[in-house]
Amino acid sequence: TAYRPSDVATAVYSSDNGNLATSNPLGDTGLQAVNKLLHNQTDSEGDPIVLSPNNSICLVPVDLAVTATELARSSRVPEGTEGAINYWKGKFEVLTSPYLTAESSTTWYYGSFKDAFAWLEVWPLQTFSQKPNSDQMFRRDLRAVLKVRFYGSCACVDPKYVVKATA
């Protein structure tokens, strides 16, 4: 529940948001179902949301990396009728994550993460250095002492741009 519209904790992926596809394994049929969910989404004013074809990502656990890569790059549908042309070739980029594998080996995500999430910077990258010739540097045989920090957080801007699919 990282999404907080009107300061009310809400699940990012839910049937209420129209971005949850259950019993939907990764494959040609699964991508069709997810694509249909995405194209049925509307913005706050009721207009269809437009997904940039260059921003589409299929985020999968390591267990599904081969299947996703075949769908993204093969000329023919890997699990389809022999000789069937693969509609999905070149339509999305595949990313894998061991964190997804730890959660589930069959849950995957598809959509435009750049439109759904944003990095909110609280303060930018800052660097601090200790004055040279300080007593601490001399005692510890240090040449330079640096402190580097930044602070920010990832936030869900609009959950309608990514669909979560479970097998």
Side-chain angles (χ1 to χ4, degrees):
T1 57
Y3 183 55
R4 293 180 140 330
S6 303
D7 285 336
V8 176
T10 306
V12 174
Y13 303 103
S14 69
S15 54
D16 289 342
N17 287 338
N19 64 354
L20 180 62
T22 56
S23 303
N24 192 40
L26 179 61
D28 181 53
T29 307
L31 279 169
Q32 287 179 38
V34 164
N35 198 42
K36 185 176 180 180
L37 278 176
L38 283 170
H39 283 87
N40 286 335
Q41 294 284 21
T42 57
D43 63 16
S44 59
E45 296 177 13
D47 295 324
I49 63 170
V50 179
L51 294 174
S52 171
N54 298 334
N55 286 343
S56 294
I57 292 175
C58 188
L59 179 61
V60 297
V62 175
D63 303 52
L64 296 177
V66 171
T67 303
T69 303
E70 286 176 344
L71 285 162
R73 297 186 183 159
S74 296
S75 298
R76 304 288 177 200
V77 177
E79 83 242 9
T81 310
E82 189 173 325
I85 294 182
N86 182 9
Y87 169 81
W88 303 105
K89 181 181 180 185
K91 302 262 186 200
F92 60 90
E93 180 184 349
V94 177
L95 294 178
T96 61
S97 171
Y99 296 106
L100 286 182
T101 305
E103 179 187 323
S104 167
S105 62
T106 59
T107 298
W108 54 283
Y109 300 81
Y110 182 85
S112 177
F113 288 84
K114 289 180 182 179
D115 293 324
F117 300 95
W119 173 257
L120 302 176
E121 189 173 79
V122 176
W123 68 68
L125 182 67
Q126 298 173 321
T127 58
F128 305 93
S129 61
Q130 192 172 23
K131 292 180 183 176
N133 302 325
S134 73
D135 189 46
Q136 277 187 333
M137 290 176 72
F138 179 77
R139 283 191 220 165
R140 296 182 181 170
D141 290 330
L142 298 175
R143 179 87 172 127
V145 177
L146 300 172
K147 177 180 178 180
V148 180
R149 68 180 182 186
F150 71 95
Y151 182 65
S153 178
C154 182
C156 181
V157 178
D158 192 343
K160 295 179 180 181
Y161 285 90
V162 177
V163 173
K164 177 182 180 178
T166 60

